[in-house]
Amino acid sequence: MVVERLKRQEIFQFLRPEQIDRLSEASKVAKFSAGETVYRQGERNDRFYIVLKGQVSLRLPTRTGGLSVLIDELSEGDVFGGCVSTALDAYSLNAQCTEESEILVISVSALEAIMDGDPRIGYIIQSGISGIYFKRYIETMEKLQAVVMNVPIEWAGMFATYNVRPLC
């Protein structure tokens, strides 16, 4: 099942059969209950995920804790998690299942080994992942802009400036 799922994933469509097999060996299907956390902000960024079934919510926790900002809701076929070939060593968001889910968990180091071993494939995969994450970033900025444009001007000074980090 893992091999077939990897073959159907758009960012992996250019992998050769032996590369798919290597990636499959470093992957597993994990089941999560509704409300279960896949990872938390600050945890080691060592896995890349693909939603096979269910739904996952990506949230940015607030500095005070308790509350969080919804960044995206992911469903079948969506990717999230590990930012491969970057200096980021920790997740910047929380990922939590909003319903019973099956998720393909892929080792980032195995994926990086394939990318490093075949730079052309590495470039294609990294471009695909970057495009997905950049689109998610743009959509989040558009949502934020819509919220900010509706905030009364007297409240504007209440908002703190945050450093921008990749949304993975």
Side-chain angles (χ1 to χ4, degrees), residues 106-119:
I106 303 169
S107 163
V108 165
S109 59
L111 183 54
E112 286 176 335
I114 290 169
M115 293 168 64
D116 291 345
D118 187 336

Side-chain angles (χ1 to χ4, degrees), residues 49-99:
Y49 302 90
I50 301 172
V51 180
L52 301 177
K53 183 177 122 185
Q55 189 170 17
V56 176
S57 171
L58 297 180
R59 303 184 81 78
L60 179 64
T62 59
R63 290 182 180 175
T64 58
L67 298 176
S68 61
V69 177
L70 177 65
I71 300 300
D72 206 354
E73 291 182 323
L74 310 176
S75 57
E76 184 178 342
D78 289 333
V79 300
F80 65 105
C83 291
V84 294
S85 298
T86 70
L88 295 175
D89 60 352
Y91 297 112
S92 59
L93 302 172
N94 291 343
Q96 184 177 40
C97 294
T98 55
E99 60 185 53

Side-chain angles (χ1 to χ4, degrees), residues 84-163:
V84 294
S85 298
T86 70
L88 295 175
D89 60 352
Y91 297 112
S92 59
L93 302 172
N94 291 343
Q96 184 177 40
C97 294
T98 55
E99 60 185 53
E100 190 172 300
S101 301
E102 288 184 12
I103 298 173
L104 184 60
V105 182
I106 303 169
S107 163
V108 165
S109 59
L111 183 54
E112 286 176 335
I114 290 169
M115 293 168 64
D116 291 345
D118 187 336
R120 182 184 66 81
I121 291 294
Y123 176 80
I124 292 168
I125 292 172
Q126 187 61 48
S127 294
I129 293 170
S130 296
I132 291 165
Y133 289 167
F134 186 70
K135 180 181 177 200
R136 191 173 291 153
Y137 170 78
I138 293 298
E139 290 170 353
T140 300
M141 292 298 105
E142 288 171 349
K143 290 176 195 173
L144 181 59
Q145 181 181 24
V147 169
V148 170
M149 296 305 289
N150 289 312
V151 172
I153 195 71
E154 60 270 12
W155 293 5
M158 295 172 50
F159 294 98
T161 302
Y162 291 91
N163 294 329

Side-chain angles (χ1 to χ4, degrees), residues 15-29:
L15 291 179
R16 294 186 310 274
E18 65 272 13
Q19 292 169 321
I20 289 282
D21 289 341
R22 283 183 23 221
L23 198 55
S24 174
E25 291 169 8
S27 304
K28 66 177 182 177
V29 175

